[in-house]
Amino acid sequence: MSLDQAARKPQDRLSALLADDMERVNALIRMRMTSRHAPRIPEVTAHLVEAGGKRLRPMLTLAAARMFGYEGEDHLLLAATVEFIHTATLLHDDVVDESRQRRGRPTANLLWDNKSSVLVGDYLFARSFQLMVETGSLRVLDILSNAAATIAEGEVLQLTAAQNLATTEDIYLQVVRGKTAALFSAATESGSLIAGADGKAQRAMFDYGDALGIAFQMADDLLDWHGEAGATGKNVGDDFRERKLTMPVIKAVAAADDDERAFWVRTIERGDQREGDLEHALALMERHGTLEATRAEARGWSDRARRALDGMPEHELRDVLDALALYVVSRVS
Amino acid sequence: MSLDQAARKPQDRLSALLADDMERVNALIRMRMTSRHAPRIPEVTAHLVEAGGKRLRPMLTLAAARMFGYEGEDHLLLAATVEFIHTATLLHDDVVDESRQRRGRPTANLLWDNKSSVLVGDYLFARSFQLMVETGSLRVLDILSNAAATIAEGEVLQLTAAQNLATTEDIYLQVVRGKTAALFSAATESGSLIAGADGKAQRAMFDYGDALGIAFQMADDLLDWHGEAGATGKNVGDDFRERKLTMPVIKAVAAADDDERAFWVRTIERGDQREGDLEHALALMERHGTLEATRAEARGWSDRARRALDGMPEHELRDVLDALALYVVSRVS
């Protein structure tokens, strides 16, 4: 690896290596987000799709297929499918969270209305299923329909776990799988599958995506407590103010004495937050070492993602996926 | 047909003929609406599923399969799939329409919240795709993913067509296909497909479901203007008060002179409705014969559904489907 390559973020290297494929995926997305009858659909979709997301999920799909020497066209369909599912999820998430901004722009629910976001999201889900049916692979459909169920289940779980101090680390992991890891792992598993990878390799690529997604989300949750402004597009303490139970808080609640527990009940369950509470919450997490413990777990998932790549074919894309697993936790190391 | 049979509503006869199958479909629905992690999901789903809907869509699926002598098990999966898609659509519809009642009970968005309805709807969509993948038939997946796209597109179209006097009869038909006919035709087409019906018969069963759905919806729209209270669970004039463009109104707008047009602009587009407007709207539709013209069209679609059954296998279920096509318009004849 040249110094130049090492200095570049892994997702930029993915973009460079997959530029031709991604151009075709973007063309496919533009073509399939149209509607013969309802112009509102491409308007809403374009607002989100063209806001310049990282397109990480379609790139993971393409990388997994190319790594195994895939030369067909179905990886483009798969990549567009994965991006459509992701976009549909974002539209519905923004309605559920009553969000007003995403990627630095007003959300669709704000620009149009909740109705349009719900229905256009449904349309994109349906379009994603049409795209995956075109691959003609029942295994692909199995993987992606299971991922869609895990995503929706995780969202409901997040809704009922919010502001609930009884949330366990197990529930947190299930929420994170729904939020991030399920689509990552479906992308990498199905990409390797259509490239003809054997069952063991498909399983390893599933594990890579799953562990990468969990490491990514844990790092994101940590950044909420001590990130620099701008690194995540969120402000420090947003999760606390929104009373979200993330891993370092769950661990701090589990280790709390009576006084500490009363603090969490007041701030998270009752939502009665005062000046200085954010700092006190941080101090409690430092006292019990829960930020450091979460950091160690995130690194553990990153290691697990990298180990899953052992035995995968020698390929420049494998090296970049490895670097990506390292990168997602480097933000909090 | 005995006098006793003739006197019974066709959907009751369907229920009786398909009772064993429907019991198994209901068991399958109950089993698949569970969630390992998120108890909110079966709570919300059960509220709607067990409210005692007519289960017309799964019965159409089963009838189409049995008519062609099907003896396997996949028709049960298909029927549950169709009911899950329908239930997911109702959950999202009630959010979009801000409904407070359905089937005589408070809606899920009222009992829980919009968030739960959006996310549980997504879960049911995903579950429906898992169920259809289990049939192992790519053609089934093709039919149902296309129907899902038509449904969502129709909903968006309905949203943008609402209160818009430029709505044409073509747009109305597209909305009706999304609202009702797409799932009816997917049910009957896919049911005949898994039973091994040939391409021509599958096409005829598609046509039957499509025409039945359109006739059904047109009759429903007519009932809104002169139905008896209780027949539809709606009150006379609800569509007018909600400023919906249904077929008799679209035809009346197209035939309107300047004064009449001003009336429609005020009441539908601007939503400025006064005492006596409902009666005046009815008088305008009578003047141009648009209720009678819509009735004739509904009868035309009913005839078309019945003609589609010509050449289908001799079967008691075929006779009931024929009676059903007659019945849906008998309510307005």
Side-chain angles (χ1 to χ4, degrees), chain B residues 33 39 78 109 153 155 169 187 190 211 237 300 305 312:
Chain B
M33 74 187 186
L78 264 188
N109 44 310
E153 191 176 33
E155 303 264 8
E169 296 191 12
S190 63
M312 297 299 104

Side-chain angles (χ1 to χ4, degrees), chain A residues 123-138:
Chain A
Y123 184 72
L124 293 180
F125 271 128
R127 289 301 244 174
S128 78
F129 277 100
Q130 288 181 309
L131 279 164
M132 64 182 107
V133 170
E134 288 178 43
T135 67
S137 161
L138 282 165

Side-chain angles (χ1 to χ4, degrees), chain A residues 35 92 96 122 130 146 153, chain B residues 35 92 115 122 130 146 153:
Chain A
S35 152
H92 286 186
V96 167
D122 288 350
Q130 288 181 309
N146 289 341
E153 191 178 32
Chain B
S35 152
H92 286 187
K115 303 173 186 201
D122 288 349
Q130 288 180 309
N146 289 341
E153 191 176 33

Side-chain angles (χ1 to χ4, degrees), chain B residues 14-152:
Chain B
L14 271 183
S15 289
L17 287 169
L18 298 165
D20 291 349
D21 275 354
M22 275 309 295
E23 200 173 307
R24 296 173 69 195
V25 170
N26 286 331
L28 188 60
I29 287 173
R30 275 193 302 275
M31 196 168 76
R32 296 305 180 90
M33 74 187 186
T34 59
S35 152
R36 202 152 40 107
H37 306 285
R40 173 70 53 89
I41 292 172
E43 284 168 28
V44 172
T45 308
H47 172 71
L48 195 55
V49 164
E50 286 163 12
K54 295 184 295 292
R55 297 275 209 280
L56 186 56
R57 291 155 190 83
M59 288 201 296
L60 286 174
T61 317
L62 299 171
R66 290 292 195 190
M67 236 177 79
F68 289 89
Y70 186 64
E71 293 290 343
E73 307 264 305
D74 284 349
H75 65 320
L76 306 173
L77 289 170
L78 264 188
T81 296
V82 163
E83 187 68 2
F84 270 4
I85 294 177
H86 179 56
T87 308
T89 307
L90 295 184
L91 281 169
H92 286 187
D93 269 4
D94 284 341
V95 169
V96 167
D97 295 342
E98 297 165 22
S99 308
R100 303 172 62 82
Q101 278 225 332
R102 176 170 297 275
R103 297 173 185 165
R105 310 208 302 173
T107 54
N109 44 310
L110 195 70
L111 282 184
W112 288 272
D113 46 33
N114 280 345
K115 303 173 186 201
S116 297
S117 291
V118 170
L119 297 177
V120 173
D122 288 349
Y123 183 73
L124 293 180
F125 271 128
R127 289 300 244 174
S128 78
F129 277 100
Q130 288 180 309
L131 279 164
M132 65 182 103
V133 170
E134 288 178 44
T135 66
S137 160
L138 282 165
R139 267 296 289 150
V140 159
L141 286 153
D142 194 32
I143 291 169
L144 285 162
S145 63
N146 289 341
T150 302
I151 291 168

Side-chain angles (χ1 to χ4, degrees), chain B residues 222 226 286 290-300 329 332-333:
Chain B
L222 281 167
H226 56 61
E286 294 290 359
T290 68
L291 290 166
E292 187 45 43
T294 303
R295 203 171 291 126
E297 284 189 29
R299 278 195 297 263
V329 291
V332 292
S333 289

